[in-house]
Amino acid sequence: MTAPSNQDILEQLRLRSNLVASKDGSQGLDVLSSLHQYIKAYDLTRTCIPSGAQVLDWGGGSGHFSYFLNKAGYTTHIYAFAEPQFIQQEIADGEITYRKANTTEPIHIDYPDERFDAVC
């Protein structure tokens, strides 16, 4: 199966944002023109990281970048203080793995060395 284009992923994000904005307060993902700020990051990711790579989204934020990573064909893992509300279904379905960050040592990533092909 071919991964969707960056434009397709942005449109999916915009549509999904309308569904979750009221739950987690996400802002700026519901307007396609605002989402276009991520095109360069998406292009760079696809250029530098081979499809299927193990990628850690360190921080996670709202989960929108993890959503992109997952849809673009990367094996996606999140390490964050709180589970991103934007992608709860993907986490529940096992498409994306989430590990709660250690709040006493936030700079220590609790994974073995060389576990990931890339960290974002």
Side-chain angles (χ1 to χ4, degrees):
M1 182 170 119
T2 303
S5 71
N6 291 344
Q7 285 296 129
D8 290 341
I9 292 172
L10 287 177
E11 178 60 17
Q12 292 170 14
L13 282 169
R14 185 187 68 76
L15 293 172
R16 177 173 278 210
S17 179
N18 291 331
L19 300 174
V20 298
S22 62
K23 293 180 185 176
D24 73 356
S26 295
Q27 296 180 5
L29 296 177
D30 58 341
V31 179
L32 200 53
S33 59
S34 177
L35 284 167
H36 275 271
Q37 66 183 313
Y38 301 111
I39 287 287
K40 292 283 186 191
Y42 292 178
D43 288 342
L44 186 61
T45 300
R46 288 186 194 243
T47 299
C48 296
I49 305 171
S51 183
Q54 297 281 329
V55 180
L56 176 66
D57 184 356
W58 183 25
S62 69
H64 70 85
F65 196 74
S66 293
Y67 182 86
F68 157 74
L69 291 170
N70 181 51
K71 297 303 178 191
Y74 299 102
T75 303
T76 307
H77 308 270
I78 301 171
Y79 186 72
F81 293 121
E83 183 176 319
Q85 299 298 305
F86 194 75
I87 53 172
Q88 279 188 328
Q89 190 61 53
E90 285 80 1
I91 292 170
D93 292 344
E95 292 179 36
I96 297 173
T97 61
Y98 162 73
R99 185 180 290 181
K100 185 170 177 58
N102 182 338
T103 57
T104 58
E105 285 188 72
I107 59 170
H108 174 74
I109 302 176
D110 192 26
Y111 291 98
D113 291 347
E114 300 182 29
R115 167 69 174 87
F116 302 104
D117 300 306
V119 176
C120 299

